[in-house]
Amino acid sequence: MNNNTEASPDTKPSENENQNNEIQEIKEFGTTNLPQEESNIHCLSIIGQVEGHILLPPHNKTTKYEHVIPQLVAIEESKQIEGLLLVLNTVGGDVEAGLAISEMIASLSKPSVSIVLGGGHSIGVPMAVSADYSFIASSATMTIHPIRLNGMVIGVPQTYEYFNKMQERVVKFVCGHSKITKESFKQLMLKTGELANDVGVVLFGEEAVQTGLIDAVGGLSDAIAKLRELIDAKKAEDNQGGVIQ
Amino acid sequence: MIIYSIYDKEVVFGNQGYGEHTNISYSNMDIGGVSVQVSKTNNADLRIERILSTNPRDYLNPKLQPGCLIQR
């Protein structure tokens, strides 16, 4: 097997034979053994660093927008897929890539539910609120802090203004897609005494819900149940719309 | 580019701290229509590291489990 697409994982001989048969099937008939049950819910996981315009060194676990954005387009386009489950466990990353993915999810016509597990820090916050409904595990945390100065910094007031503007994009998106107000979000960003070397705040699951950032505390079953509910509601709405017109 | 992360940029861009596997190189390939991220092993085989798919069914496929080796 020289071709990449024909490569198969190295397993036991009997299984290898099965795989060869399957590859034969693909070659001869253009068919493959699809799993019996097709899922109408697709799952997108945002893990590690969100990679932006610069390729991060391989020691980072990254979520790349060139992977994620076409997947979101495919989900929007697909007739079988009815909902999106967004699973977040991220330490943050590039502002523009994060906001790009958030905007894509927010503008999806299909119902979406996000769930924050472990951590949804920094740029993970707008991504978490971009879904129609958001969950957070009670042990999960979200760190909210100001956008820091990276790269070349010139000590002029304009630098501060520039970062303020960049930060404003994040604040605006988060407040536009969750129940938190601009004032209280900025207050959390600038809170002192909670983070060792920085201003900001760490929110636990329940706290994130209390501030209005996240809709509910819950786990996988809650998220799937909510997503199915949203899918059914959308179907009902679509049907009704057809009758009226 | 502005990074909004709880990690410092020295951790993100530098090689300090996290892990010894800093010289692993990853590449992407397609197996039966599913995009996967693979790494090279010492025997020049490819090992599946990660599935890049939103379809939850792909993750149940025994042929695509992380750690599976791909014969070349």
Side-chain angles (χ1 to χ4, degrees), chain A residues 2-244:
Chain A
N2 305 318
N3 197 329
N4 271 352
T5 51
E6 287 176 17
S8 64
D10 182 27
T11 42
K12 289 172 208 155
S14 58
E15 279 179 38
N16 245 341
E17 212 175 292
N18 280 339
Q19 282 164 19
N20 286 340
N21 287 344
E22 272 182 43
I23 289 162
Q24 226 29 56
E25 258 181 65
I26 298 170
K27 266 191 187 164
E28 307 269 339
F29 308 109
T31 59
T32 176
N33 293 339
L34 284 172
Q36 292 295 307
E37 200 188 343
E38 270 301 308
S39 179
N40 64 341
I41 291 174
H42 269 214
C43 168
L44 182 65
S45 39
I46 308 288
I47 50 161
Q49 294 276 350
V50 178
E51 191 178 279
H53 307 305
I54 294 171
L55 201 67
L56 295 181
H59 68 101
N60 290 284
K61 181 163 273 191
T62 58
T63 298
K64 299 169 195 286
Y65 71 87
E66 67 265 37
H67 291 156
V68 172
I69 289 180
Q71 283 174 336
L72 287 168
V73 173
I75 288 168
E76 177 69 32
E77 279 260 290
S78 166
K79 286 192 174 72
Q80 285 93 46
I81 306 168
E82 296 180 307
L84 170 70
L85 180 70
L86 187 70
V87 181
L88 287 123
N89 195 354
T90 176
V91 292
D94 186 74
V95 166
E96 301 208 324
L99 284 179
I101 295 168
S102 306
E103 289 284 5
M104 289 289 278
I105 295 162
S107 58
L108 208 65
S109 73
K110 293 171 182 178
S112 55
V113 167
S114 67
I115 176 164
V116 180
L117 302 163
H121 310 289
S122 316
I123 201 70
V125 176
M127 295 170 105
V129 302
S130 65
D132 296 331
Y133 200 87
S134 51
F135 281 98
I136 184 165
S138 64
S139 63
T141 58
M142 297 181 95
T143 308
I144 298 162
H145 61 93
I147 291 177
R148 290 195 213 87
L149 300 167
N150 282 335
M152 195 176 75
V153 174
I154 313 168
V156 289
Q158 284 85 341
T159 307
Y160 173 76
E161 271 307 306
Y162 177 70
F163 274 88
N164 224 8
K165 270 192 171 168
M166 291 299 115
Q167 191 165 290
E168 202 58 33
R169 297 161 76 184
V170 175
V171 173
K172 215 173 146 187
F173 186 91
V174 170
C175 299
H177 291 86
S178 70
K179 294 188 211 97
I180 199 165
T181 60
K182 218 171 171 177
E183 289 70 34
S184 49
F185 189 68
K186 278 194 162 171
Q187 235 167 33
L188 292 175
M189 260 185 162
L190 300 170
K191 196 171 175 184
T192 52
E194 273 204 29
L195 299 184
N197 298 318
D198 201 356
V199 291
V201 65
V202 178
L203 294 176
F204 287 158
E206 282 85 2
E207 290 169 333
V209 177
Q210 278 161 19
T211 56
L213 199 59
I214 297 292
D215 292 312
V217 174
L220 181 59
S221 58
D222 303 296
I224 295 280
K226 184 71 194 174
L227 190 51
R228 292 206 193 284
E229 186 192 313
L230 291 174
I231 290 169
D232 289 342
K234 187 174 185 286
K235 271 183 191 164
E237 198 183 293
D238 288 350
N239 287 341
Q240 219 176 22
V243 171
I244 291 167

Side-chain angles (χ1 to χ4, degrees), chain B residues 8-34:
Chain B
D8 293 330
K9 74 170 197 297
E10 288 75 21
V11 176
V12 175
F13 289 104
N15 275 331
Q16 68 175 46
Y18 299 86
E20 306 119 33
H21 309 288
T22 48
N23 45 11
I24 292 180
S25 72
Y26 297 107
S27 53
N28 297 330
M29 63 181 284
D30 191 90
I31 300 176
V34 181

